[in-house]
Coordinates of all heavy atoms in Angstrom, one line a residue:
G169 N -3.5 17.1 -81.2 CA -4.2 17.0 -82.5 C -4.6 15.6 -82.8 O -5.4 15.3 -83.6
A170 N -4.0 14.6 -82.1 CA -4.3 13.2 -82.4 C -3.8 12.3 -81.2 O -3.0 12.7 -80.4 CB -3.6 12.7 -83.7
S171 N -4.5 11.2 -81.1 CA -4.2 10.2 -80.1 C -4.2 8.8 -80.8 O -5.0 8.5 -81.7 CB -5.2 10.2 -79.0 OG -5.0 9.0 -78.1
M172 N -3.3 8.0 -80.4 CA -3.3 6.6 -80.9 C -3.1 5.6 -79.7 O -2.4 5.9 -78.8 CB -2.1 6.3 -81.9 CG -0.7 6.5 -81.3 SD 0.6 5.7 -82.3 CE 0.4 6.7 -83.8
M173 N -3.9 4.6 -79.8 CA -3.7 3.5 -78.8 C -2.5 2.8 -79.1 O -2.2 2.5 -80.3 CB -4.9 2.6 -78.8 CG -5.0 1.6 -77.6 SD -6.5 0.7 -77.5 CE -6.2 -0.7 -78.5
V174 N -1.7 2.4 -78.1 CA -0.5 1.6 -78.2 C -0.5 0.4 -77.3 O -1.1 0.5 -76.3 CB 0.8 2.5 -77.9 CG1 0.9 3.7 -79.0 CG2 0.7 3.1 -76.5
V175 N 0.1 -0.6 -77.8 CA 0.1 -1.9 -77.0 C 1.6 -2.4 -77.0 O 2.4 -2.0 -77.8 CB -0.8 -3.0 -77.7 CG1 -2.2 -2.5 -77.7 CG2 -0.3 -3.2 -79.2
P176 N 1.9 -3.3 -76.0 CA 3.2 -3.9 -76.0 C 3.5 -4.7 -77.2 O 2.6 -5.1 -77.9 CB 3.1 -4.8 -74.7 CG 2.0 -4.3 -73.9 CD 1.0 -3.8 -74.9
P177 N 4.7 -4.9 -77.6 CA 5.1 -5.7 -78.8 C 4.4 -7.1 -78.7 O 4.3 -7.7 -77.7 CB 6.6 -5.9 -78.7 CG 7.1 -4.7 -77.9 CD 6.0 -4.4 -76.9
Q178 N 3.9 -7.5 -79.8 CA 3.1 -8.7 -79.9 C 3.9 -9.9 -80.4 O 3.4 -11.1 -80.3 CB 1.9 -8.5 -80.9 CG 1.0 -7.4 -80.5 CD 0.3 -7.7 -79.1 OE1 -0.4 -8.7 -78.9 NE2 0.6 -6.8 -78.2
S179 N 5.2 -9.7 -80.7 CA 6.0 -10.8 -81.2 C 6.3 -11.8 -80.1 O 6.5 -11.5 -79.0 CB 7.4 -10.2 -81.7 OG 8.2 -11.3 -82.1
T180 N 6.3 -13.1 -80.5 CA 6.7 -14.2 -79.6 C 8.2 -14.5 -79.6 O 8.6 -15.4 -78.9 CB 5.9 -15.4 -79.9 OG1 6.2 -15.8 -81.3 CG2 4.4 -15.2 -79.8
F181 N 8.9 -13.8 -80.5 CA 10.4 -14.0 -80.6 C 11.1 -13.4 -79.3 O 10.6 -12.6 -78.6 CB 10.9 -13.3 -81.8 CG 10.4 -14.0 -83.1 CD1 9.5 -13.4 -83.9 CD2 10.9 -15.3 -83.5 CE1 9.1 -14.0 -85.1 CE2 10.5 -15.9 -84.6 CZ 9.5 -15.2 -85.5
H182 N 12.3 -13.9 -79.2 CA 13.2 -13.4 -78.1 C 14.2 -12.4 -78.7 O 14.7 -12.7 -79.8 CB 13.9 -14.5 -77.4 CG 12.9 -15.3 -76.5 ND1 12.2 -16.3 -76.9 CD2 12.7 -15.1 -75.1 CE1 11.5 -16.8 -75.9 NE2 11.7 -16.1 -74.8
C183 N 14.5 -11.4 -78.0 CA 15.5 -10.4 -78.4 C 16.8 -10.7 -77.7 O 16.8 -10.9 -76.5 CB 15.0 -9.0 -78.1 SG 13.5 -8.5 -79.1
V184 N 17.9 -10.6 -78.4 CA 19.2 -10.9 -77.9 C 20.1 -9.7 -77.9 O 20.2 -9.0 -78.9 CB 19.9 -12.1 -78.7 CG1 21.2 -12.4 -78.1 CG2 19.0 -13.3 -78.7
E185 N 20.7 -9.4 -76.7 CA 21.6 -8.3 -76.6 C 23.0 -8.8 -76.6 O 23.4 -9.7 -75.9 CB 21.4 -7.5 -75.3 CG 22.3 -6.3 -75.2 CD 22.1 -5.5 -73.9 OE1 21.2 -5.8 -73.2 OE2 22.8 -4.5 -73.7
L186 N 23.8 -8.3 -77.6 CA 25.2 -8.8 -77.8 C 26.3 -7.9 -77.3 O 26.1 -6.6 -77.3 CB 25.4 -9.1 -79.3 CG 24.5 -10.1 -79.9 CD1 24.9 -10.3 -81.4 CD2 24.6 -11.5 -79.3
E187 N 27.4 -8.4 -76.9 CA 28.6 -7.7 -76.7 C 29.7 -8.4 -77.5 O 30.2 -9.4 -77.1 CB 29.0 -7.7 -75.2 CG 30.2 -6.9 -74.8 CD 30.5 -6.8 -73.4 OE1 29.5 -6.8 -72.6 OE2 31.7 -6.8 -73.0
G188 N 29.9 -7.8 -78.7 CA 30.7 -8.5 -79.7 C 29.9 -9.7 -80.2 O 28.8 -9.5 -80.7
T189 N 30.4 -10.9 -79.9 CA 29.7 -12.1 -80.3 C 29.1 -12.9 -79.1 O 28.5 -13.9 -79.2 CB 30.6 -13.1 -81.1 OG1 31.7 -13.4 -80.3 CG2 31.0 -12.4 -82.4
K190 N 29.3 -12.3 -77.9 CA 28.8 -12.9 -76.7 C 27.4 -12.3 -76.3 O 27.2 -11.2 -76.4 CB 29.8 -12.6 -75.5 CG 31.1 -13.3 -75.6 CD 32.0 -13.1 -74.4 CE 33.3 -13.8 -74.5 NZ 34.1 -13.6 -73.3
V191 N 26.6 -13.3 -76.0 CA 25.2 -12.9 -75.6 C 25.2 -12.4 -74.2 O 25.6 -13.0 -73.2 CB 24.3 -14.1 -75.7 CG1 22.9 -13.7 -75.2 CG2 24.2 -14.6 -77.2
R192 N 24.7 -11.1 -74.0 CA 24.6 -10.5 -72.7 C 23.3 -10.9 -72.0 O 23.2 -11.3 -70.9 CB 24.8 -9.0 -72.8 CG 26.2 -8.6 -73.1 CD 26.3 -7.1 -73.0 NE 26.0 -6.6 -71.7 CZ 25.8 -5.3 -71.4 NH1 25.9 -4.4 -72.3 NH2 25.5 -5.0 -70.1
T193 N 22.2 -10.7 -72.8 CA 20.9 -10.9 -72.2 C 19.9 -11.5 -73.3 O 20.1 -11.2 -74.5 CB 20.2 -9.7 -71.6 OG1 20.1 -8.7 -72.6 CG2 21.1 -9.1 -70.5
I194 N 18.9 -12.2 -72.8 CA 17.9 -12.7 -73.7 C 16.5 -12.3 -73.1 O 16.3 -12.6 -71.9 CB 17.9 -14.2 -73.9 CG1 19.2 -14.7 -74.5 CG2 16.7 -14.7 -74.7 CD1 19.3 -16.2 -74.6
S195 N 15.7 -11.5 -73.8 CA 14.5 -11.0 -73.3 C 13.3 -11.3 -74.3 O 13.6 -11.3 -75.5 CB 14.5 -9.5 -73.0 OG 15.6 -9.2 -72.2
S196 N 12.2 -11.5 -73.8 CA 11.0 -11.6 -74.7 C 10.7 -10.2 -75.3 O 10.9 -9.2 -74.6 CB 9.8 -12.1 -74.0 OG 9.3 -11.2 -73.0
A197 N 10.2 -10.2 -76.5 CA 9.9 -8.9 -77.1 C 8.9 -8.1 -76.3 O 9.0 -6.9 -76.2 CB 9.5 -9.1 -78.6
A198 N 7.9 -8.8 -75.8 CA 6.9 -8.2 -75.0 C 7.3 -7.5 -73.7 O 6.6 -6.6 -73.2 CB 5.8 -9.2 -74.7
S199 N 8.5 -7.8 -73.3 CA 9.0 -7.2 -72.1 C 9.9 -6.0 -72.3 O 10.2 -5.3 -71.3 CB 9.9 -8.3 -71.3 OG 11.1 -8.5 -72.0

Side-chain angles (χ1 to χ4, degrees):
S171 169
M172 64 165 60
M173 190 169 89
V174 295
V175 295
Q178 301 298 299
S179 172
T180 58
F181 293 107
H182 286 85
C183 297
V184 179
E185 184 180 356
L186 299 178
E187 184 175 325
T189 58
K190 292 185 177 180
V191 176
R192 291 187 58 191
T193 61
I194 299 177
S195 306
S196 66
S199 69

